[in-house]
């Protein structure tokens, strides 16, 4: 009999995880966050496996056949997205993560490019910050790391890991990061939490871009 693994995404059997990934992709497509087959979506099935979108598919028309069941300790499956290593690395490093959604949404993509030299976006003063797990006040300083875009996603995954490991207790690290001129990765303990984080972060970046137009 298989051992039951207790995880934040508990209850996510394979079919459930696949359904969550499909739903997340469709929602993001409806928001115009994944143009031209961009973006990728994954959910944890158990300690050793994830469900993840395959390469090159319209996220608004996802079918179960477009979702790969990827073991975390095995080589990437054929038809994997070039960005699958970024998902696998996060699941490895953070056992509490239950879902990761990646989009090429407008505000995230633009603010990442504006903030590339600084290497981060600080969110502060926005009520909506409280949609991020663990943030209880608009006065919190939430740091979203920004990385230069990189086609070698194995190298990029190592940079992301090092950056999150280096965060001190005094910094509230956002449940996500930005790639300059590329987009946003956001995650959560469950698919619902990841979806909330994705929506909140994109809205917060949109607020920031508007605000910066009026401040020196
Ligand atoms: Zn991408």
């Amino acid at each position: 009999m298989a051992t039951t693994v207790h995880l934040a995404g508990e209850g996510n059997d394979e079919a459930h995880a696949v359904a969550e990934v499909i739903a997340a992709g469709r929602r993001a497509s409806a928001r115009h966050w994944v143009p031209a087959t961009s973006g990728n979506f994954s959910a944890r099935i158990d300690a050793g496996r994830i469900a993840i979108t395959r390469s090159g598919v319209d996220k608004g028309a996802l079918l179960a056949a477009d979702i790969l069941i990827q073991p975390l300790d095995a080589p990437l499956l054929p038809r994997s997205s070039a960005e699958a290593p970024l998902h696998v690395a996060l699941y490895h490093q953070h056992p509490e993560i239950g879902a990761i959604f990646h989009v090429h949404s407008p505000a995230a993509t633009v603010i990442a490019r504006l903030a590339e030299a600084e290497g981060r976006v600080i969110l502060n003063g926005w009520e909506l910050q409280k949609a991020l797990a663990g943030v209880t006040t608009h006065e919190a300083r939430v740091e979203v790391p920004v990385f230069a875009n990189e086609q070698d996603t194995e190298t990029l995954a190592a940079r992301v890991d090092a950056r999150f490991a280096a965060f001190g207790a005094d910094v509230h690290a956002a449940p996500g990061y930005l790639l300059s001129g590329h987009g946003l990765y956001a995650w959560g303990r469950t698919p619902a939490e990841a979806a909330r984080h994705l929506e909140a972060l994109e809205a917060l970046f949109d607020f920031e871009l508007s605000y910066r137009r009026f401040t020196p």
Side-chain angles (χ1 to χ4, degrees):
M1 189 178 213
T3 309
T4 302
V5 179
H6 184 90
L7 286 169
E10 193 185 16
N12 264 6
D13 62 4
E14 191 174 307
H16 185 209
V18 168
E20 294 281 7
V21 168
I22 289 172
R26 288 180 180 168
R27 277 197 305 270
S29 178
R31 308 291 295 265
H32 303 287
W33 291 346
V34 284
T37 78
S38 62
N40 32 72
F41 298 80
S42 67
R44 189 189 284 277
I45 300 165
D46 53 35
R49 295 180 305 155
I50 59 171
I52 183 167
T53 46
R54 72 171 175 86
S55 174
V57 61
D58 178 352
K59 305 306 180 297
L62 286 172
L63 302 171
D66 298 319
I67 314 302
L68 306 174
I69 306 303
Q70 173 68 53
L72 292 174
D73 284 320
L76 291 179
L77 298 166
R79 304 193 301 157
S80 286
S81 159
E83 296 185 68
L86 294 167
H87 290 249
V88 170
L90 281 167
Y91 285 112
H92 264 303
Q93 295 297 328
H94 305 277
E96 74 281 10
I97 290 180
I100 303 169
F101 301 153
H102 166 55
V103 294
H104 294 197
S105 50
T109 302
V110 172
I111 203 168
R113 197 161 169 187
L114 289 172
E116 179 180 344
E118 198 177 341
R120 62 184 183 172
V121 172
I122 300 291
L123 298 169
N124 176 248
W126 305 111
E127 179 68 11
L128 191 58
Q129 291 171 203
K130 289 160 59 184
L132 306 176
V135 178
T136 56
T137 167
H138 64 284
E139 294 175 340
R141 281 171 59 83
V142 180
E143 180 167 334
V144 189
V146 180
F147 300 93
N149 199 20
E150 166 68 70
Q151 300 301 329
D152 178 349
T153 49
E154 299 277 0
T155 299
L156 186 54
R159 277 187 205 143
V160 171
D161 184 39
R163 178 74 174 272
F164 276 87
F167 270 120
D170 55 327
V171 176
H172 192 101
Y177 64 82
L178 289 160
L179 299 177
S180 177
H182 178 161
L184 167 67
Y185 274 80
W187 52 83
R189 288 167 292 189
T190 62
E193 187 176 79
R196 192 182 80 227
H197 289 163
L198 190 67
E199 186 164 8
L201 286 168
E202 175 66 9
L204 286 159
F205 297 142
D206 194 38
F207 297 166
E208 273 289 324
L209 287 172
S210 298
Y211 188 64
R212 289 179 187 196
R213 281 190 210 115
F214 300 103
T215 49

